[in-house]
């Protein structure tokens, strides 16, 4: 069992990992070995609150299929074991981030001092620009 939060965990058997050939440079190693890990996880197998499921869908983006399967492709390292661990870590991080509720923003009014500083800055800038104009030449 992999723990997401205090109340939620996923079973390791629900995660499907297959190994494919990695893309990019790497010499003969990249042509001979299948070291890149492709992780597939069906989000319908876990019960998430509705708001967390919506956040997960938004955070996953293109990594989530229309069927609700998250696909993570890990090819950062040269060994299967490290790529497998990296893919699982990325999945857990994604799920943990989806579980965190954002703190609602409370609208505040600007303080009197901040209004005064803003107006002073605008006045100063306006004076600088006013002096740029044609200052009539007197002979």
């Amino acid at each position: 069992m992999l723990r997401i939060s205090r109340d939620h965990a996923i079973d390791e058997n629900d995660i499907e990992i297959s190994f494919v050939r990695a893309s990019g440079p790497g010499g003969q190693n990249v042509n001979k070995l299948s070291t890149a890990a492709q992780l597939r996880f069906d989000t319908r197998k876990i019960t998430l609150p509705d708001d967390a499921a919506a956040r997960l869908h938004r955070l996953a983006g293109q990594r989530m299929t229309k069927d609700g399967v998250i696909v993570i492709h890990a090819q950062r390292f040269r060994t299967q074991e490290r790529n497998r661990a990296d893919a699982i870590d990325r999945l857990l991080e994604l799920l943990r981030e989806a579980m965190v509720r954002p703190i609602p923003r409370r609208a505040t009014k600007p303080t009197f001092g901040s209004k005064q500083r803003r107006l002073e800055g605008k006045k100063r800038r306006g004076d600088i620009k006013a002096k740029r104009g044609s200052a009539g030449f007197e002979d």
Side-chain angles (χ1 to χ4, degrees), residues 50-117:
D50 291 336
D51 59 335
R55 280 192 300 274
L56 178 62
H57 187 71
R58 183 177 42 81
L59 287 170
Q62 291 184 342
R63 291 176 288 191
M64 184 180 282
T65 65
K66 291 178 184 174
D67 301 330
V69 177
I70 295 176
V71 179
I72 295 177
H73 193 74
Q75 61 179 17
R76 192 181 311 172
F77 302 105
R78 290 177 60 129
T79 62
Q80 284 185 350
E81 296 81 24
R82 289 183 71 188
N83 282 329
R84 179 183 186 280
D86 183 40
I88 291 173
D89 289 344
R90 285 166 49 189
L91 174 68
L92 292 177
E93 183 62 32
L94 185 68
L95 292 171
R96 285 183 184 128
E97 195 173 339
M99 293 298 292
V100 175
R101 280 198 174 94
I103 299 171
R105 180 188 177 277
R106 290 197 190 101
T108 58
K109 292 182 179 178
T111 63
F112 180 75
S114 68
K115 287 180 183 176
Q116 291 296 107
R117 287 189 296 274

